[in-house]
Amino acid sequence: MSNDIFKTLSSISEDIKFFNISNTEELEKFRIQYLGSKNVINALFGEIKNVENNRKKEFGQVLNALKEEAESKFETEKEKIEDNQGAGKSLDIDLTAPVFYDSVGSRHPVSIIMNKIIKIFEKIGFTVAEEREIETDWYNFTAMNTPEDHPARDMQDTFYLKDSHTDLLRTHTSSVQARIMTTQKPPIRIIAPGRVYRNETISSRSHCQFHQVEGLYIDKNVSFSDMKQTLLYFAREMYGLETEIRLRPSYFPFTEPSAEMDVYWGLKNEDDYRITKGTGWLEILGCGMVDPNVLSNCGIDPEEYTGFAFGMGIERQAMLQYKITDIRQLFENDIRFLKQFSGAL
Ligand code: PHE
């Protein structure tokens, strides 16, 4: 018999614990049920006569504990509700006061130009590939047909990371070409934007870190004229639909034949003479047909596939576009400089 009564007590204890109180009405309901003059706990005190003598004391103790449980829950819930109401009441907001906007960030000019270039190539089916800035000698040079004793290694003053010269900071995004060609099967059509490093004296015109966008297209029957048309499309999207380009023969170890592409900038004013060294033409990028050695170094059969690649610097294009005369401004993060680009995408 008394076992049943003890069971009832423990279920009341559960009920108290899980009684949901989130407003004054619920608080009042709780008070009436567990603390009011006709509350369930008091009613149970009358049952003591039905409990065996040796458990009467225990029964009393449990009932008192229940009472305390109910009282303490009532107090804490009451305080919570009062606190909430208090917070609401004392909320002192002047809804007519003028708003002070937090200052909004802006994109870095290098990012703006990079995104513009990416968008232009995405439109014709290139996808973005990003790779590591810390490279091994193999991906940066050897795979790109630039073996150890090759004079072209002197053209790019490399930051090596170990005495053994096996790890380095990539000197160009062409390392991404090798990364992609060794892991993907043609057709390959990627652009690789990113930061590169060269150990150069920092001046208004050159820096030891800058950004490039690399392009690589490999498939069956890719020709030099495919490259020329792709680059003409790029130049016109970037510099205006009337823009003319010219390709000058050049040399890169990883392309054959190689070229440099100029866009016609014009000679309208004194600045144009200075920027184009009096020619009206501006050099924008290096390009060429992927050297068969590069393809076979990376496990692609040069008998079956051909491709073209190009690489361009971003800083110079940003400087031209925004008439920035000192490249160092692009790396100083001076907020007064950066603020001028807010609103640009
Ligand atoms: N990697 C070359 C550079 O840094 C640019 C380039 C890329 C040229 C791809 C040809 C093909 O100047």
Side-chain angles (χ1 to χ4, degrees), residues 4-48:
D4 285 350
I5 294 181
F6 276 99
K7 256 190 213 144
T8 314
L9 295 186
S10 72
S11 83
I12 290 176
S13 168
E14 289 289 291
D15 291 346
I16 291 175
K17 220 177 277 155
F18 293 110
F19 198 105
N20 189 28
I21 303 174
S22 47
N23 53 40
T24 35
E25 288 84 59
E26 283 164 358
L27 184 70
E28 182 57 8
K29 244 173 143 181
F30 180 85
R31 192 193 63 76
I32 293 170
Q33 192 159 343
Y34 297 106
L35 303 167
S37 54
K38 286 183 187 154
N39 74 65
V40 286
I41 302 171
N42 276 351
L44 278 164
F45 273 107
E47 295 288 326
I48 199 156

Short mmCIF file of all heavy atoms in Angstrom, two decimals, residues 4-48:
data_model
loop_
_atom_site.label_atom_id
_atom_site.label_comp_id
_atom_site.label_asym_id
_atom_site.label_seq_id
_atom_site.Cartn_x
_atom_site.Cartn_y
_atom_site.Cartn_z
N ASP A 4 2.63 2.36 -3.22
CA ASP A 4 1.87 3.16 -4.18
C ASP A 4 1.93 4.63 -3.83
O ASP A 4 2.09 5.49 -4.70
CB ASP A 4 0.40 2.72 -4.18
CG ASP A 4 0.25 1.38 -4.90
OD1 ASP A 4 1.26 0.97 -5.52
OD2 ASP A 4 -0.84 0.81 -4.84
N ILE A 5 1.79 4.93 -2.55
CA ILE A 5 1.81 6.33 -2.14
C ILE A 5 3.18 6.95 -2.45
O ILE A 5 3.27 8.06 -2.98
CB ILE A 5 1.49 6.48 -0.63
CG1 ILE A 5 0.04 6.04 -0.42
CG2 ILE A 5 1.70 7.91 -0.17
CD1 ILE A 5 -0.43 6.14 1.00
N PHE A 6 4.25 6.20 -2.18
CA PHE A 6 5.59 6.73 -2.48
C PHE A 6 5.76 6.97 -3.98
O PHE A 6 6.40 7.92 -4.39
CB PHE A 6 6.67 5.78 -1.93
CG PHE A 6 6.95 6.04 -0.46
CD1 PHE A 6 6.38 5.25 0.52
CD2 PHE A 6 7.79 7.09 -0.09
CE1 PHE A 6 6.63 5.50 1.86
CE2 PHE A 6 8.05 7.34 1.26
CZ PHE A 6 7.46 6.54 2.24
N LYS A 7 5.15 6.08 -4.76
CA LYS A 7 5.21 6.26 -6.22
C LYS A 7 4.53 7.57 -6.61
O LYS A 7 5.04 8.34 -7.44
CB LYS A 7 4.53 5.09 -6.93
CG LYS A 7 5.53 4.13 -7.51
CD LYS A 7 4.82 3.14 -8.41
CE LYS A 7 5.55 1.79 -8.33
NZ LYS A 7 4.64 0.65 -8.39
N THR A 8 3.36 7.83 -6.01
CA THR A 8 2.66 9.08 -6.30
C THR A 8 3.55 10.27 -5.97
O THR A 8 3.63 11.24 -6.73
CB THR A 8 1.38 9.18 -5.43
OG1 THR A 8 0.71 7.93 -5.49
CG2 THR A 8 0.48 10.28 -5.92
N LEU A 9 4.26 10.18 -4.83
CA LEU A 9 5.13 11.29 -4.44
C LEU A 9 6.19 11.55 -5.50
O LEU A 9 6.45 12.69 -5.86
CB LEU A 9 5.81 11.00 -3.09
CG LEU A 9 4.89 10.90 -1.87
CD1 LEU A 9 5.73 10.78 -0.61
CD2 LEU A 9 3.99 12.12 -1.77
N SER A 10 6.79 10.46 -5.99
CA SER A 10 7.87 10.71 -6.95
C SER A 10 7.31 11.24 -8.27
O SER A 10 7.95 12.03 -8.94
CB SER A 10 8.76 9.48 -7.14
OG SER A 10 8.07 8.53 -7.86
N SER A 11 6.07 10.84 -8.62
CA SER A 11 5.54 11.41 -9.87
C SER A 11 5.19 12.89 -9.67
O SER A 11 5.31 13.68 -10.61
CB SER A 11 4.37 10.59 -10.39
OG SER A 11 3.19 10.97 -9.76
N ILE A 12 4.79 13.26 -8.45
CA ILE A 12 4.54 14.69 -8.21
C ILE A 12 5.84 15.48 -8.35
O ILE A 12 5.90 16.57 -8.94
CB ILE A 12 3.92 14.91 -6.82
CG1 ILE A 12 2.47 14.36 -6.82
CG2 ILE A 12 3.92 16.39 -6.43
CD1 ILE A 12 1.79 14.44 -5.47
N SER A 13 6.92 14.89 -7.83
CA SER A 13 8.21 15.55 -7.92
C SER A 13 8.59 15.81 -9.39
O SER A 13 9.06 16.89 -9.75
CB SER A 13 9.27 14.69 -7.23
OG SER A 13 10.54 15.17 -7.54
N GLU A 14 8.34 14.81 -10.24
CA GLU A 14 8.59 14.98 -11.69
C GLU A 14 7.74 16.11 -12.26
O GLU A 14 8.22 16.96 -13.01
CB GLU A 14 8.23 13.68 -12.44
CG GLU A 14 9.19 12.54 -12.19
CD GLU A 14 10.53 12.77 -12.86
OE1 GLU A 14 10.57 12.73 -14.10
OE2 GLU A 14 11.52 13.01 -12.14
N ASP A 15 6.44 16.08 -11.88
CA ASP A 15 5.52 17.10 -12.40
C ASP A 15 6.01 18.50 -12.07
O ASP A 15 5.95 19.41 -12.90
CB ASP A 15 4.12 16.91 -11.82
CG ASP A 15 3.47 15.63 -12.34
OD1 ASP A 15 4.00 15.08 -13.33
OD2 ASP A 15 2.44 15.21 -11.76
N ILE A 16 6.50 18.66 -10.82
CA ILE A 16 6.98 19.98 -10.42
C ILE A 16 8.16 20.40 -11.30
O ILE A 16 8.21 21.49 -11.84
CB ILE A 16 7.41 19.96 -8.93
CG1 ILE A 16 6.16 19.80 -8.05
CG2 ILE A 16 8.18 21.23 -8.57
CD1 ILE A 16 6.47 19.64 -6.57
N LYS A 17 9.08 19.44 -11.46
CA LYS A 17 10.29 19.74 -12.24
C LYS A 17 9.94 20.19 -13.67
O LYS A 17 10.51 21.12 -14.20
CB LYS A 17 11.17 18.48 -12.29
CG LYS A 17 12.65 18.80 -12.14
CD LYS A 17 13.48 17.53 -12.11
CE LYS A 17 13.53 16.91 -10.72
NZ LYS A 17 13.79 15.46 -10.77
N PHE A 18 8.98 19.49 -14.29
CA PHE A 18 8.72 19.77 -15.71
C PHE A 18 7.56 20.73 -15.95
O PHE A 18 7.16 20.94 -17.08
CB PHE A 18 8.49 18.45 -16.45
CG PHE A 18 9.74 17.61 -16.51
CD1 PHE A 18 9.85 16.44 -15.79
CD2 PHE A 18 10.84 18.04 -17.25
CE1 PHE A 18 11.00 15.67 -15.82
CE2 PHE A 18 12.00 17.29 -17.28
CZ PHE A 18 12.09 16.10 -16.57
N PHE A 19 7.02 21.29 -14.88
CA PHE A 19 5.92 22.25 -15.06
C PHE A 19 6.44 23.46 -15.82
O PHE A 19 7.39 24.10 -15.41
CB PHE A 19 5.37 22.67 -13.69
CG PHE A 19 4.01 23.28 -13.75
CD1 PHE A 19 2.90 22.56 -13.33
CD2 PHE A 19 3.82 24.58 -14.22
CE1 PHE A 19 1.63 23.12 -13.38
CE2 PHE A 19 2.56 25.14 -14.29
CZ PHE A 19 1.45 24.41 -13.86
N ASN A 20 5.82 23.73 -16.95
CA ASN A 20 6.32 24.81 -17.81
C ASN A 20 5.75 26.16 -17.37
O ASN A 20 4.55 26.37 -17.41
CB ASN A 20 5.95 24.50 -19.26
CG ASN A 20 6.63 25.44 -20.21
OD1 ASN A 20 7.72 25.96 -19.88
ND2 ASN A 20 6.02 25.70 -21.34
N ILE A 21 6.65 27.06 -16.96
CA ILE A 21 6.18 28.38 -16.53
C ILE A 21 6.87 29.44 -17.36
O ILE A 21 8.08 29.62 -17.26
CB ILE A 21 6.53 28.64 -15.05
CG1 ILE A 21 5.92 27.54 -14.18
CG2 ILE A 21 6.03 30.01 -14.60
CD1 ILE A 21 6.34 27.62 -12.72
N SER A 22 6.09 30.12 -18.22
CA SER A 22 6.76 31.17 -18.99
C SER A 22 6.04 32.51 -18.88
O SER A 22 6.48 33.50 -19.45
CB SER A 22 6.93 30.74 -20.45
OG SER A 22 5.70 30.23 -20.93
N ASN A 23 4.93 32.54 -18.15
CA ASN A 23 4.27 33.85 -17.94
C ASN A 23 3.54 33.84 -16.60
O ASN A 23 3.50 32.82 -15.90
CB ASN A 23 3.29 34.13 -19.10
CG ASN A 23 2.32 32.98 -19.32
OD1 ASN A 23 1.83 32.39 -18.34
ND2 ASN A 23 2.05 32.65 -20.57
N THR A 24 2.95 34.95 -16.26
CA THR A 24 2.34 35.08 -14.92
C THR A 24 1.15 34.14 -14.72
O THR A 24 0.94 33.63 -13.63
CB THR A 24 1.87 36.53 -14.66
OG1 THR A 24 1.40 37.07 -15.89
CG2 THR A 24 2.99 37.37 -14.12
N GLU A 25 0.40 33.87 -15.80
CA GLU A 25 -0.75 32.96 -15.66
C GLU A 25 -0.28 31.56 -15.28
O GLU A 25 -0.84 30.92 -14.38
CB GLU A 25 -1.56 32.87 -16.96
CG GLU A 25 -2.39 34.09 -17.31
CD GLU A 25 -1.58 35.14 -18.04
OE1 GLU A 25 -1.05 34.83 -19.11
OE2 GLU A 25 -1.47 36.28 -17.51
N GLU A 26 0.75 31.11 -15.96
CA GLU A 26 1.26 29.77 -15.66
C GLU A 26 1.86 29.72 -14.26
O GLU A 26 1.76 28.72 -13.55
CB GLU A 26 2.30 29.36 -16.73
CG GLU A 26 1.64 28.94 -18.03
CD GLU A 26 2.59 28.88 -19.22
OE1 GLU A 26 3.79 29.21 -19.06
OE2 GLU A 26 2.11 28.53 -20.31
N LEU A 27 2.48 30.82 -13.87
CA LEU A 27 3.04 30.89 -12.51
C LEU A 27 1.94 30.75 -11.46
O LEU A 27 2.07 30.02 -10.48
CB LEU A 27 3.79 32.22 -12.33
CG LEU A 27 4.52 32.41 -11.01
CD1 LEU A 27 5.75 31.49 -10.94
CD2 LEU A 27 4.95 33.87 -10.80
N GLU A 28 0.82 31.42 -11.72
CA GLU A 28 -0.31 31.38 -10.79
C GLU A 28 -0.92 29.97 -10.73
O GLU A 28 -1.25 29.47 -9.67
CB GLU A 28 -1.37 32.42 -11.22
CG GLU A 28 -2.59 32.53 -10.33
CD GLU A 28 -2.30 32.85 -8.85
OE1 GLU A 28 -1.13 33.15 -8.52
OE2 GLU A 28 -3.24 32.79 -8.03
N LYS A 29 -1.03 29.34 -11.88
CA LYS A 29 -1.54 27.97 -11.95
C LYS A 29 -0.67 27.04 -11.09
O LYS A 29 -1.17 26.20 -10.34
CB LYS A 29 -1.46 27.47 -13.41
CG LYS A 29 -2.79 27.17 -14.04
CD LYS A 29 -2.52 26.89 -15.49
CE LYS A 29 -3.34 25.83 -16.15
NZ LYS A 29 -2.89 25.70 -17.56
N PHE A 30 0.65 27.23 -11.24
CA PHE A 30 1.60 26.42 -10.48
C PHE A 30 1.42 26.66 -8.99
O PHE A 30 1.39 25.73 -8.18
CB PHE A 30 3.03 26.79 -10.91
CG PHE A 30 4.11 26.01 -10.20
CD1 PHE A 30 4.49 24.76 -10.66
CD2 PHE A 30 4.73 26.53 -9.06
CE1 PHE A 30 5.49 24.03 -9.99
CE2 PHE A 30 5.72 25.82 -8.40
CZ PHE A 30 6.11 24.56 -8.88
N ARG A 31 1.26 27.95 -8.63
CA ARG A 31 1.11 28.28 -7.20
C ARG A 31 -0.12 27.61 -6.60
O ARG A 31 -0.05 26.98 -5.55
CB ARG A 31 1.01 29.81 -7.02
CG ARG A 31 1.16 30.28 -5.58
CD ARG A 31 0.74 31.74 -5.42
NE ARG A 31 -0.68 31.97 -5.72
CZ ARG A 31 -1.69 31.65 -4.90
NH1 ARG A 31 -1.44 31.10 -3.70
NH2 ARG A 31 -2.93 31.89 -5.25
N ILE A 32 -1.25 27.70 -7.32
CA ILE A 32 -2.49 27.11 -6.81
C ILE A 32 -2.33 25.60 -6.63
O ILE A 32 -2.67 25.03 -5.60
CB ILE A 32 -3.67 27.43 -7.74
CG1 ILE A 32 -3.96 28.94 -7.71
CG2 ILE A 32 -4.92 26.64 -7.35
CD1 ILE A 32 -4.94 29.41 -8.76
N GLN A 33 -1.71 24.97 -7.64
CA GLN A 33 -1.61 23.51 -7.62
C GLN A 33 -0.69 22.99 -6.50
O GLN A 33 -0.99 21.99 -5.86
CB GLN A 33 -1.12 23.02 -8.97
CG GLN A 33 -1.26 21.53 -9.12
CD GLN A 33 -1.26 21.13 -10.58
OE1 GLN A 33 -1.47 21.96 -11.46
NE2 GLN A 33 -1.03 19.86 -10.83
N TYR A 34 0.44 23.68 -6.29
CA TYR A 34 1.43 23.12 -5.36
C TYR A 34 1.60 23.91 -4.06
O TYR A 34 2.17 23.41 -3.11
CB TYR A 34 2.79 22.98 -6.06
CG TYR A 34 2.73 22.02 -7.23
CD1 TYR A 34 2.75 22.48 -8.53
CD2 TYR A 34 2.60 20.63 -6.99
CE1 TYR A 34 2.66 21.60 -9.60
CE2 TYR A 34 2.51 19.75 -8.05
CZ TYR A 34 2.54 20.24 -9.35
OH TYR A 34 2.44 19.36 -10.40
N LEU A 35 1.15 25.18 -4.04
CA LEU A 35 1.37 25.97 -2.83
C LEU A 35 0.09 26.60 -2.28
O LEU A 35 0.08 27.14 -1.17
CB LEU A 35 2.39 27.10 -3.12
CG LEU A 35 3.76 26.64 -3.64
CD1 LEU A 35 4.56 27.81 -4.18
CD2 LEU A 35 4.56 25.93 -2.56
N GLY A 36 -1.01 26.50 -3.01
CA GLY A 36 -2.26 27.12 -2.57
C GLY A 36 -2.87 26.38 -1.38
O GLY A 36 -2.37 25.34 -0.94
N SER A 37 -4.01 26.94 -0.88
CA SER A 37 -4.60 26.37 0.34
C SER A 37 -5.08 24.93 0.14
O SER A 37 -5.10 24.14 1.07
CB SER A 37 -5.74 27.27 0.84
OG SER A 37 -6.66 27.45 -0.22
N LYS A 38 -5.45 24.61 -1.12
CA LYS A 38 -5.90 23.23 -1.34
C LYS A 38 -4.90 22.48 -2.23
O LYS A 38 -5.29 21.78 -3.16
CB LYS A 38 -7.27 23.24 -2.03
CG LYS A 38 -8.38 23.64 -1.09
CD LYS A 38 -9.70 23.56 -1.81
CE LYS A 38 -10.81 24.13 -0.93
NZ LYS A 38 -11.92 24.64 -1.75
N ASN A 39 -3.62 22.66 -1.96
CA ASN A 39 -2.64 22.10 -2.89
C ASN A 39 -2.47 20.59 -2.72
O ASN A 39 -2.81 20.02 -1.68
CB ASN A 39 -1.30 22.83 -2.77
CG ASN A 39 -0.56 22.46 -1.51
OD1 ASN A 39 -0.15 21.32 -1.32
ND2 ASN A 39 -0.41 23.43 -0.61
N VAL A 40 -1.97 19.93 -3.76
CA VAL A 40 -1.89 18.46 -3.78
C VAL A 40 -0.95 17.91 -2.71
O VAL A 40 -1.16 16.81 -2.19
CB VAL A 40 -1.43 17.93 -5.16
CG1 VAL A 40 -2.54 18.05 -6.18
CG2 VAL A 40 -0.17 18.63 -5.64
N ILE A 41 0.06 18.70 -2.35
CA ILE A 41 1.02 18.19 -1.36
C ILE A 41 0.37 18.13 0.03
O ILE A 41 0.43 17.12 0.73
CB ILE A 41 2.29 19.06 -1.33
CG1 ILE A 41 2.93 19.08 -2.73
CG2 ILE A 41 3.29 18.53 -0.30
CD1 ILE A 41 4.06 20.06 -2.91
N ASN A 42 -0.29 19.25 0.39
CA ASN A 42 -0.97 19.26 1.69
C ASN A 42 -1.99 18.14 1.80
O ASN A 42 -2.11 17.49 2.83
CB ASN A 42 -1.67 20.61 1.90
CG ASN A 42 -0.68 21.64 2.45
OD1 ASN A 42 0.45 21.27 2.81
ND2 ASN A 42 -1.10 22.89 2.49
N ALA A 43 -2.72 17.94 0.67
CA ALA A 43 -3.76 16.91 0.67
C ALA A 43 -3.17 15.55 1.03
O ALA A 43 -3.80 14.74 1.71
CB ALA A 43 -4.43 16.87 -0.69
N LEU A 44 -1.91 15.33 0.61
CA LEU A 44 -1.29 14.03 0.84
C LEU A 44 -0.91 13.81 2.31
O LEU A 44 -0.76 12.68 2.76
CB LEU A 44 -0.06 13.87 -0.04
CG LEU A 44 -0.37 13.43 -1.47
CD1 LEU A 44 0.81 13.66 -2.38
CD2 LEU A 44 -0.78 11.96 -1.49
N PHE A 45 -0.74 14.95 3.04
CA PHE A 45 -0.40 14.79 4.46
C PHE A 45 -1.44 13.94 5.18
O PHE A 45 -1.15 13.17 6.08
CB PHE A 45 -0.24 16.16 5.16
CG PHE A 45 1.16 16.73 5.03
CD1 PHE A 45 1.42 17.81 4.18
CD2 PHE A 45 2.21 16.18 5.77
CE1 PHE A 45 2.69 18.33 4.06
CE2 PHE A 45 3.49 16.71 5.64
CZ PHE A 45 3.73 17.77 4.80
N GLY A 46 -2.72 14.06 4.70
CA GLY A 46 -3.82 13.28 5.28
C GLY A 46 -3.65 11.77 5.10
O GLY A 46 -4.20 10.97 5.84
N GLU A 47 -2.86 11.40 4.10
CA GLU A 47 -2.67 9.98 3.78
C GLU A 47 -1.73 9.27 4.75
O GLU A 47 -1.55 8.06 4.69
CB GLU A 47 -2.10 9.84 2.37
CG GLU A 47 -3.03 10.31 1.27
CD GLU A 47 -4.20 9.37 1.07
OE1 GLU A 47 -4.01 8.14 1.24
OE2 GLU A 47 -5.31 9.86 0.77
N ILE A 48 -1.10 10.06 5.66
CA ILE A 48 -0.06 9.49 6.52
C ILE A 48 -0.60 8.30 7.32
O ILE A 48 0.13 7.35 7.61
CB ILE A 48 0.55 10.59 7.41
CG1 ILE A 48 1.93 10.11 7.95
CG2 ILE A 48 -0.37 10.99 8.57
CD1 ILE A 48 2.86 11.21 8.33
#
